[in-house]
Amino acid sequence: MSSAIRKSTSVALASLALTSWLASCGGGGSNAPVVPAPPPPPPAAPDVSTVAPSDPGSSFPANSNWQHGAFVEIFVRSYKDSDGDGKGDLRGVTSELPYLQALGVKGLWLMPVTVSSDHDHGYAVANYRDIEPDYGTLADLDELLTQAHARGIGVVIDYVMNHSSDLNPVFLNSRFATTNAYRDWYIWQATAPAGWNIFGGNPWRTASTGAYFGVFSPTMPDWNLNNAAVVAYHESNLRFWLNRGVDGFRFDAVGNLYENGPTAWEDQPQNYTLMMQVRALLDTYSQRYMVCEGSGDPQGFAAASACGAAFAFDLKGALLGAARNDPASIQVVSDYFKTAPAGMASILANHDSFAGQRIWDQLAGNAAQYRLAAASYLLAPGTPFIYYGEEIGMAGASSLSGDAALRTPMSWAAVNTATDGFTTGAPYRSYAANVAAANVASEDPDPVSLLNFYRSMLALRNTRVSLRDGAYAQPLVSGSVLSYQRRSPGETTLVVINYDTNTMNASISGLGPNAVLGYRYPPAAIPDLVADSSGTATISMAAQSVLVFDVSPAL
C-alpha cells in the first residue's frame, strides 16, 4: 500500500471515530453527517525530461579496437567492498583496476548500477538516472570511468528497456488511475486476458486499476514500447549516461520487448527495428559499443540490422562439450564462425542460471577441460566475455540456490586469512564453495594456475592483431584436434587444440608452401616447425593441450 493511500485511510478512520464519540456524548447524534475521506493525491510527477546529446568524445585511439578485446562481466555488489559494509561498490571496482589490467581485459560490463527496488541484482530499475546508493554516487562512477580509460579499459553498463520496477515513479503514476497521463506508458488491460503462459505462468498481474503485463515478475512491469514517448524517454536515459562518458551498454532481454499475442511474445519484428534505432543513437557518439541479450535468436540480434553484437548463447554449450571431447561439439565449434555475424560475443556462462552453473561446477572441477574451454573461446573471433571469478575457477555457493549461487562475493583470498579479501566486514552473501583453494591470492604467484593461463590467452589476443580481430580461415577437425587460422594483413596465427586425453598427431594443411611455424604458446625452446612444399605440417599434440603458432610468411 502506498503512503498516500495509507494516509487517506487513516483520515477516514479518524473521521468515523470522531462521529461515534460525538454521538455517545450527546454532542452529535445519529443523524450527524459523515465526513467523506478525500481521495488520495496522485504520485509525484516523474522526471522524464529530454536529455540532449553532448558527446564528450572517446579516450581510445581510433585504431584501438578495444571492443574486440575480452570483457569481464562484473556484479558490483559481489566484486569488492571499499567501505566495510559487506557489499561491493564502485570504489571497490576502481581499486581492482590494476588486477583487471594485468588480467588483460579491454572492457568491463557492469551489471545494473542504477537505483533499484530489489537492492540486489538491479534489474528492477526504480531510477534510470542515478546510482544505486549501496554502490556509491555518480562521482564514483565518473572516477571509475577516468581510471579505467587511463588503463585502456572501456566500461559498459547494463540497460533494461523491457521493464522497470513497480516502484518506478512512472509506473506509480500509470497504475494510479486509468486517466493518468502516464497510463499508456505501460501495458494495461481492464482485466487479465486468458490464454497466456510465459515461463510457466500468466504474465498479466492484477492491480486495483486493471491488469498490467509483467513478463518476469509482478514487481517488474513491462514498458509499452509502442508508445513513442516511452522510446524517447529511454533514448534520453541512454544519452544521460553517454554524455557522462560511459562507453556503451549491455541491453537486457531484447527478445521480450514487444508482445503481439499469447503465442507471439518473443523475438518480434519490432524488437530488431528498435535495437537498430538504438544502435544508430550510439553511433552518433564516438567509439561506443553495445551488446544484446537475445537468447532466443543470438545471431539475428548480432546482425547489423539489429544490435550489431549479441551473446552467442548458441555456442556456449558446444564450447563445454568440446572441452569434454565430444566429437559433435568440436565440429560445431569449428563451423560456428564460418557463418556467424562478426559481432558475436562468446561466453561460457554468466549471472543467470538459465545459462548454466559456474564453469567449475559444470566441468566437475576438471582443470584440464576448463583450460580447453577457455582457449576455445578466448582465441576465437568475436568478443569474449568472462564472468567475474571464471578466471580463477570460482564454484557456486553450496549453501545457496538459483541465481544467488552464481553471484557470490569474488574470491580474492581464502576466508579468514590476513590477506585482503572481498570485505573487511561481514559479507552480505555466502562465498563460493571452493574459496579456500580457488582465489586470486593463491593463484597469482603460481605460474601454472588457471588465472595465469587466462592471462596467457589474453596476452596472445592483445599482442596479435590477427587473434583480436582477424579473419577466420582454414578450420579443420581431425579426430579430436581442432585447428584454424586467424588472418590479418601481415600476420597469420595458427591455433591448434587437442581435446583428447591422449597424444594426437594432427596434419594441418593450407599453411603455404614451406611455411615456418613459430611457437607463440606455450613459450618453448624448441625448433620451429616447417610445412612441406604443399603447405602441410604434421604436429604432435600432447593430451588436452593448446598450441599457438605464428605462420610465416603470413597468408
Side-chain angles (χ1 to χ4, degrees):
M1 182 181 292
S2 71
S3 59
I5 294 173
R6 285 196 296 268
K7 180 178 180 181
S8 64
T9 301
S10 297
V11 169
L13 291 173
S15 176
L16 288 172
L18 175 62
T19 301
S20 177
W21 179 82
L22 287 171
S24 67
C25 67
S30 59
N31 294 324
V34 176
V35 179
D47 177 12
V48 295
S49 58
T50 300
V51 177
S54 179
D55 184 6
S58 173
S59 302
F60 301 105
N63 63 349
S64 66
N65 287 332
W66 64 272
Q67 301 96 328
H68 293 162
F71 277 64
V72 164
E73 176 193 357
I74 292 178
F75 181 31
V76 175
R77 191 173 298 274
S78 284
Y79 201 63
K80 182 77 172 197
D81 172 22
S82 72
D83 57 13
D85 68 353
K87 298 183 287 288
D89 46 51
L90 291 171
R91 289 185 179 183
V93 176
T94 302
S95 72
E96 293 299 342
L97 286 173
Y99 166 80
L100 292 162
Q101 183 180 19
L103 179 60
V105 300
K106 296 300 181 181
L108 308 181
W109 155 27
L110 305 183
M111 286 173 61
V113 295
T114 44
V115 179
S116 73
S117 60
D118 60 77
H119 305 299
D120 192 319
H121 54 78
Y123 289 99
V125 183
N127 184 348
Y128 281 86
R129 300 182 186 181
D130 205 354
I131 296 294
E132 170 69 28
D134 283 342
Y135 295 167
T137 64
L138 286 167
D140 292 331
L141 178 66
D142 294 341
E143 181 64 17
L144 171 58
L145 294 174
T146 298
Q147 296 296 333
H149 293 165
R151 291 171 169 80
I153 298 173
V155 180
V156 304
I157 63 175
D158 231 311
Y159 192 85
V160 188
M161 188 175 283
N162 179 71
H163 55 269
S164 76
S165 164
D166 64 337
L167 299 182
N168 188 294
V170 184
F171 183 72
L172 293 178
N173 276 268
S174 180
R175 76 177 296 168
F176 178 74
T178 59
T179 56
N180 188 277
Y182 295 98
R183 182 67 168 189
D184 194 40
W185 283 50
Y186 291 84
I187 304 168
W188 286 94
Q189 295 284 347
T191 58
W196 288 75
N197 189 322
I198 301 178
F199 307 135
N202 189 342
W204 290 94
R205 321 295 182 169
T206 300
S208 60
T209 59
Y212 62 91
F213 188 87
V215 67
F216 292 110
S217 166
T219 62
M220 295 192 292
D222 281 38
W223 293 98
N224 177 15
L225 295 170
N226 285 306
N227 184 337
V230 174
V231 175
Y233 165 69
H234 282 295
E235 290 178 336
S236 280
N237 294 338
L238 296 175
R239 285 190 290 268
F240 175 88
W241 297 107
L242 293 168
N243 292 353
R244 298 193 78 90
V246 167
D247 299 292
F249 304 93
R250 176 265 189 184
F251 285 93
D252 181 65
V254 299
N256 301 99
L257 299 176
Y258 291 87
E259 296 77 29
N260 293 316
T263 61
W265 53 267
E266 188 175 30
D267 301 334
Q268 298 301 292
Q270 304 102 304
N271 299 29
Y272 303 88
T273 302
L274 178 58
M275 296 320 296
M276 183 168 59
Q277 180 178 331
V278 170
R279 173 74 264 177
L281 185 155
L282 266 70
D283 286 344
T284 64
Y285 287 75
S286 176
Q287 290 207 69
R288 297 309 199 267
Y289 174 74
M290 65 180 279
V291 60
C292 291
E293 180 200 35
S295 56
D297 184 20
Q299 296 193 36
F301 281 108
S305 57
C307 302
F311 292 109
F313 288 99
D314 53 347
L315 177 62
K316 68 177 185 62
L319 291 167
L320 295 179
R324 299 185 187 101
N325 196 25
D326 172 62
S329 296
I330 297 171
Q331 192 63 56
V332 169
V333 173
S334 176
D335 293 341
Y336 187 82
F337 291 102
K338 292 179 182 178
T339 57
M344 300 313 300
S346 50
I347 61 171
L348 295 181
N350 66 11
H351 62 283
D352 283 321
S353 54
F354 83 80
Q357 299 303 304
R358 283 280 187 173
I359 301 306
W360 183 262
D361 297 321
Q362 290 194 59
L363 295 177
N366 188 314
Q369 292 180 354
Y370 204 127
R371 286 172 167 79
L372 295 175
S376 297
Y377 89 114
L378 295 178
L379 302 177
T383 300
F385 277 72
I386 300 165
Y387 188 38
Y388 80 96
E390 174 193 310
E391 75 276 14
I392 56 172
M394 271 179 63
S398 56
S399 60
L400 301 171
S401 61
D403 293 340
L406 314 179
R407 304 174 186 178
T408 58
M410 175 69 175
S411 298
W412 293 107
V415 181
N416 298 325
T417 69
T419 310
D420 185 29
F422 167 68
T423 182
T424 58
Y428 82 103
R429 177 173 286 165
S430 300
Y431 286 102
N434 63 350
V435 62
N439 61 73
V440 174
S442 62
E443 293 189 31
D444 180 54
D446 181 358
V448 297
S449 68
L450 182 62
L451 173 59
N452 280 306
F453 181 80
Y454 267 75
R455 287 171 174 166
S456 294
M457 294 298 101
L458 294 179
L460 285 168
R461 190 177 186 93
N462 293 335
T463 57
R464 296 193 64 78
V465 175
S466 55
L467 285 177
R468 188 181 65 212
D469 52 17
Y472 183 69
Q474 295 291 317
L476 176 68
V477 175
S478 176
S480 294
V481 177
L482 166 66
S483 64
Y484 57 85
Q485 297 175 25
R486 302 290 310 280
R487 296 175 179 175
S488 62
E491 182 182 282
T492 298
T493 300
L494 172 66
V495 176
V496 190
I497 303 175
N498 177 18
Y499 297 103
D500 203 282
T501 54
N502 297 301
T503 299
M504 303 288 288
N505 289 323
S507 180
I508 311 295
S509 59
L511 298 170
N514 305 310
V516 176
L517 307 183
Y519 283 91
R520 290 297 176 267
Y521 182 85
I526 56 178
D528 295 337
L529 300 179
V530 180
D532 62 20
S533 59
S534 68
T536 300
T538 299
I539 301 175
S540 178
M541 297 288 298
Q544 296 178 305
S545 64
V546 178
L547 295 178
V548 180
F549 299 92
D550 173 73
V551 180
S552 181
L555 298 170

